[in-house]
Amino acid sequence: MEEKYVPSAVEGKWQQFWATHNSFKATEDASRKKYYLLEMFPYPSGKIHMGHVRNYSIGDVIARFKRMQGYNVLHPMGWDAFGMPAENAAIQNKSHPAKWTYENIAYMRGQLKRLGLSYDWERELATCDLDYYKWEQKIFLEMYKKGLAYKKSSAVNWCPKCETVLANEQVEDGCCWRCDSLVQQKELEQWSFRITNYAQELLDDTYKLTGWPERVLTMQRNWIGRSVGCEIDFALESGLGKIRVFTTRQDTLFGATFMSLAAEHPMAQDLATAGQRAAVEAFIDKVKKTDRIKRSADDQEKEGVFTGSYCINPVTNAKMPIYLANFVLMDYGTGAVMAVPTHDQRDFEFAKKYDLPLKVVIQPEGETLDPAAMTEAYTADGIMVNSGRFDGMGNSDAKEAIADFLEKEGIGKKTVNFRLRDWGISRQRYWGNPIPVINCDLCGVVPVPEADLPVVLPMDAEFTGEGGNPLARVDSFTTCTCPQCGEAARRETDTMDTFVQSSWYFLRYCSPKFTAGPLDREQVEHWMPVDQYIGGIEHAVLHLLYARFFTKVLRDLGYCNVDEPFSNLLTQGMVIKDGAKMSKSKGNVVDPNALIERYGADTARLFSLFAAPPEKDLDWSDQGVDGSYRFLNRVWRLVYDVLPAVKGVGAVEADKLSAEGKKLRRAVHKTIKKVSEDVEERFHFNTAIAAVMELVNAIQGFAAKDAPENVAVVREAVESVVRLLAPFVPHFAEELWAELGHEVGLEQAGWPGYDADAVVDEEITVVIQVNGKLRSKLTVAPDAKEEDVRAAALADDKILPYLEGKSVKKVVYVPGKLVSIVVA
């Protein structure tokens, strides 16, 4: 054994060993319990960052720990490879997205292997691989046949320079994330998935996901946004139609004084009178150039325009002016809102700005609200007023009564509404999965026959950054024949949102080389669901919601029997440096390659696991990295020092140990117990590592190493340190394990168990309080009788002065913890 720890020599050796022996391959051994461990796969940007190091190190600890426990672990890796950044790179570098992507994949694969991550690389996939996106096209066609994929005109975020639809996440402060152009609203024919068909199931099943953080579940429930209320019809004053609204506040109906419509509402322009038409058209044009997310923000200035038309309140018969309002969105409810300014803050601000009437219909109990004196809307519960037959009722009770009344009178009905909208998947860009349909002038939309799949992305597209989707300019791709009528037709040039690829990759990992369909059902039923999924909180809603939806769709298409894809979810925190998330723009990036060059991969892993619990943000510390490296050197030196004495030493004979030897053995088994519980139950890797550090201190402070029985406990202690560190610093641990004379590796050796008798303390410390203040401590046997402990406490030299001249009113003993004495 070398006296000095040289990370590069150790790590290269074991990485080669693992690769040669295919050490992390998930087997087909049905006799072993399966464990599917997965981190969210990365976009192949070209370089891993410290966030990757932390995320994948967390997953690797769990994977290695479970293998040591005897589980058959599936731990795969792949690449979320389609997307706009590859097109950006192609434009900037005069390259091709495919070339750029696959070069990045090769480089990043090498980086991940250099970290010693225990992936089953035989299952590697990239979503831009033909044999991946082919099967996604098949799934699309089956969804189309079931009515789950459809095309309709809808309002979208549109970048006029990139000429593409943007997801909400790609709009930053109202501008395109790629070119910073102001995003507009545009009406386009778009392909969508009918996720709303699954809204109730997606909501209901959040209550079954007991292994998910409550924060994430709350975010999903809010995004799905189930609302129970009423649909109410407001007849137009002209008698030529009606406006339907959805509201959860039918108790405020008598206070509705005007109507607010979304600028995109199909009746918006028709309602404009001749005198208001120019103002209405200008307002609609202005709103369409405004970011949809920004429009609905609470701090957005409320703006609108009067259409010139009126509708009738169905319960008061009052004329209500109809306005277009910038804060009303077409994709929630019906795109029309009955405005009750006294009881809704947005309506209140709007009414004050445009001098619209206010009418109070809910009063705080024992108070009278004056509309003219109100400075904000009253939104709490109260007593109904100015509401006809419902006056005097509590507004919560009135909700049900008014809903019944509306249904009886035929002017409304009880209904459930969801905030969740269908998933628009069309993207006007090249580097994505082609939507497998053909547009024919005679036959309309025609699915590509399954026998003709895959629709392959052409490699001869030109990337200029202008003129919209490069795919639309490749005549050899767009020109085709209609499979129904045989006439000339045009291939669809929209590609699928990259969220589609990440919505089922975890299922494909179960059988990535399966050629008879998207999934091998037998393998999916064996491995799914994912036992532990790990990723950032930023994916709490869309990716996780879409993955849940897709899993349910594939279940209903007969590909699997899984209702939910991820049994347990861990959302890890960010890596923070200088008070901010690491990013190139902030100039606070730490290069993992440089860190590994200087300290080794195991040090990088150890620091990222020790510095904070996984779910918390990690504050970067150069001193912390250096401290982790010094600790590994201490352990290396410890093994080096004791190795000559412990070679060939047999098992510990507990009954023959000296008092000091028993004390060390107790520390060993307590540490095994704590580390096992911290890793298994809580993922508190930082406290687990801290416990091993304490054990190392105990070993180094152990003096009596010369007696044979004590040498055996030293060997047990040192071997336990190595085994407990194995999931965290695998190269380092394997090297020391081999030096200790073991021919089988650590995963084959298994996770250490602890002796239940050995973790029981021979003595425990009990604190003594007098009138609630700590005054002394006792050392007693764990099985000491209560009366003996009480007597010892009352006779303690430090306690006697506090009892002198006073009467003892009460003595309470909390077994193994404290004696509380109350004196008068």
Side-chain angles (χ1 to χ4, degrees), residues 318-335:
K319 283 174 57 176
M320 296 169 51
I322 303 170
Y323 276 74
L324 305 187
N326 64 343
F327 58 85
V328 181
L329 300 179
M330 194 62 217
D331 60 1
Y332 179 74
T334 64

Side-chain angles (χ1 to χ4, degrees), residues 722-740:
V722 173
R723 293 170 79 180
L724 295 175
L725 285 175
F728 305 99
V729 287
H731 317 85
F732 177 86
E734 288 284 7
E735 182 70 13
L736 293 184
W737 189 248
E739 290 291 347
L740 284 164

Side-chain angles (χ1 to χ4, degrees), residues 759-803:
V759 300
V760 177
D761 287 315
E762 291 186 351
E763 292 181 332
I764 56 174
T765 300
V766 175
V767 300
I768 310 173
Q769 293 178 348
V770 179
N771 288 352
K773 292 186 177 180
L774 177 64
R775 298 302 186 186
S776 188
K777 295 179 181 180
L778 280 177
T779 300
V780 300
D783 57 353
K785 294 179 180 178
E786 179 175 346
E787 57 266 30
D788 294 337
V789 177
R790 288 159 59 105
L794 291 168
D796 186 89
D797 289 341
K798 293 182 180 179
I799 296 299
L800 289 174
Y802 295 102
L803 307 184

Side-chain angles (χ1 to χ4, degrees), residues 93-160:
N93 303 325
K94 297 184 173 17
S95 180
H96 192 281
K99 181 176 184 293
W100 183 84
T101 299
Y102 282 110
E103 285 176 353
N104 286 352
I105 286 173
Y107 186 76
M108 290 179 71
R109 184 192 301 118
Q111 289 180 300
L112 296 184
K113 287 183 175 181
R114 197 176 177 192
L115 279 168
L117 301 166
S118 61
Y119 292 125
D120 182 353
W121 287 104
E122 287 189 358
R123 293 176 185 260
E124 180 185 12
L125 58 81
T127 58
C128 62
D129 289 343
L130 195 60
D131 60 358
Y132 185 86
Y133 74 74
K134 166 187 177 179
W135 297 118
E136 190 168 278
Q137 291 175 2
K138 176 177 168 59
I139 293 167
F140 176 95
L141 293 177
E142 293 192 40
M143 292 176 72
Y144 180 73
K145 290 174 189 174
K146 294 279 189 181
L148 293 173
Y150 66 95
K151 195 172 191 179
K152 72 167 185 177
S153 179
S154 60
V156 296
N157 299 315
W158 178 258
C159 175

Side-chain angles (χ1 to χ4, degrees), residues 210-226:
T210 56
W212 285 41
E214 192 59 34
R215 175 188 176 192
V216 174
L217 296 174
T218 298
M219 291 169 73
Q220 292 223 349
R221 289 165 191 152
N222 291 341
W223 190 266
I224 295 167
R226 186 179 190 270

Side-chain angles (χ1 to χ4, degrees), residues 399-443:
K399 280 186 181 181
E400 190 65 26
I402 291 173
D404 291 338
F405 169 77
L406 295 173
E407 287 198 332
K408 182 179 178 182
E409 297 297 318
I411 53 178
K413 64 177 182 177
K414 299 176 187 176
T415 188
V416 174
N417 191 63
F418 291 93
R419 179 178 180 269
L420 181 68
R421 301 292 93 189
D422 280 343
W423 173 11
I425 66 159
S426 283
R427 297 293 179 267
Q428 291 70 39
R429 61 178 179 233
Y430 165 79
W431 192 236
N433 189 0
I435 294 175
V437 297
I438 290 167
N439 299 299
C440 174
D441 291 336
L442 297 175
C443 305

